Amino acid sequence: MLKAGELAAQALELAGRNAVPGISTWELDKIVNDYVVSHGGSSPCKGYGGFPGHNCFSINEQLIHGIPSKKVILREGDIISCDIVAELNGFMGDNTKTFRVGKVSEEADRLLRVTEEALYKGIEQAVAGNRIGDISNAVQTHVEANGYAVCRKYIGHGIGRDMHEDPEVPNFGRPGRGPRLCKGMTIAIEPMVNTNFPEVNILSDGWTVVTTDGSLSAHFENTVAITDGAPLILTQPEH
Ligand code: MF3
Ligand code: CO
């Protein structure tokens, strides 16, 4: 899991370095997949439920599941969520960051900062003896205290040999509720945060999830292991 997480994190960094004005999300997807494959891994999103790309690239009002496309060209001021899953030796690493393309608005900047903070508030709760609801509530509380909304329709998940395993890891909930966290569990915590409303729509391509009012959305994700002590973030470029 450490090795898969490391590869997924390095691939995500590479996506971030290449997320500059003028590049298409198709090119980004190719750069990332080529990197993963050249390091002995694979991109399990390709073909997952029929998904056409290797990874998801979601711009501005798009939360998740944006399909890589030659027609989608990044522009200065965009924000782009790069959701990268890598498989290595039968294990999965899953991570996401929303990157700033050049200089972004103050509004976008704040949304990204709060969403990333919410991810780390959730991770802090990922300790043995706590429950999933402690993670969920920490994320939700931070997001809502800052005036934003968490998406309810899509949630985090257990992860291991499969990309999606039990337990579910919602970004909303009550402390002390849900499955208990035990040493050795590996979960993907992934707040999806909308500027105004929790509701979402799916575009006619059947995949791209967008905010209902066209306002910005951000997404940060790490794969995390429950240990004897502090949470271990598996999706780090260096361990
Ligand atoms: N990486 C996503 C997650 O966080 C799943 C991608 S959906 C797929 O769970 F269709 F692209 F695989
Ligand atoms: Co995930």
Side-chain angles (χ1 to χ4, degrees):
M1 289 295 287
L2 268 170
K3 291 288 175 201
E6 211 167 76
L7 181 57
Q10 288 163 352
L12 178 59
E13 275 200 344
L14 183 63
R17 285 200 296 277
N18 283 280
V20 294
I23 198 167
S24 72
T25 55
W26 185 88
E27 290 170 285
L28 276 179
D29 193 49
K30 179 165 166 41
I31 290 168
V32 170
N33 179 246
D34 286 351
Y35 181 85
V36 168
V37 169
S38 73
H39 287 77
S42 69
S43 302
C45 289
K46 175 77 175 176
Y48 186 89
F51 187 73
H54 299 94
N55 289 289
C56 304
F57 298 93
S58 310
I59 293 175
N60 297 334
E61 77 284 1
Q62 302 174 352
L63 287 78
I64 50 168
H65 299 172
I67 299 174
S69 166
K70 289 184 178 171
K71 289 185 198 146
V72 179
I73 314 280
L74 298 192
R75 290 176 308 189
E76 175 88 17
D78 283 343
I79 57 173
I80 177 168
S81 301
C82 302
D83 187 346
I84 310 296
V85 187
E87 175 274 334
L88 186 66
N89 298 328
F91 291 97
M92 303 283 177
D94 185 359
N95 61 175
T96 306
K97 276 184 187 173
T98 305
F99 294 105
R100 299 158 176 86
V101 180
K103 190 167 165 45
V104 304
S105 68
E106 257 174 55
E107 180 198 355
D109 197 66
R110 180 173 179 272
L111 176 69
L112 267 51
R113 183 168 48 76
V114 169
T115 306
E116 191 165 22
E117 286 166 1
L119 168 60
Y120 285 91
K121 298 273 181 192
I123 292 173
E124 269 176 35
Q125 298 298 318
V127 293
N130 272 3
R131 291 182 184 270
I132 290 289
D134 297 313
I135 297 174
S136 305
N137 187 261
V139 170
Q140 179 180 19
T141 300
H142 188 70
V143 168
E144 292 180 354
N146 282 282
Y148 298 132
V150 290
C151 169
R152 283 161 170 70
K153 188 168 177 192
Y154 299 92
I155 57 181
H157 47 92
I159 178 168
R161 289 184 185 276
D162 289 316
M163 179 163 57
H164 293 146
E165 300 182 355
D166 286 340
E168 295 187 337
V169 187
N171 296 303
F172 57 95
R174 292 166 61 186
R177 300 296 179 95
R180 195 177 286 284
L181 300 173
C182 309
K183 180 185 172 184
M185 288 172 71
T186 46
I187 57 175
I189 305 175
E190 51 177 317
M192 290 153 253
V193 175
N194 295 346
T195 304
N196 294 318
F197 309 111
E199 290 79 15
V200 297
N201 290 140
I202 299 178
L203 297 185
S204 57
D205 63 17
W207 280 100
T208 314
V209 179
V210 297
T211 57
T212 52
D213 64 345
S215 62
L216 297 176
S217 182
H219 182 198
F220 284 81
E221 173 178 29
N222 273 135
T223 298
V224 176
I226 315 301
T227 73
D228 276 336
L232 175 60
I233 299 174
L234 297 169
T235 38
Q236 294 188 101
E238 305 263 356
H239 280 102

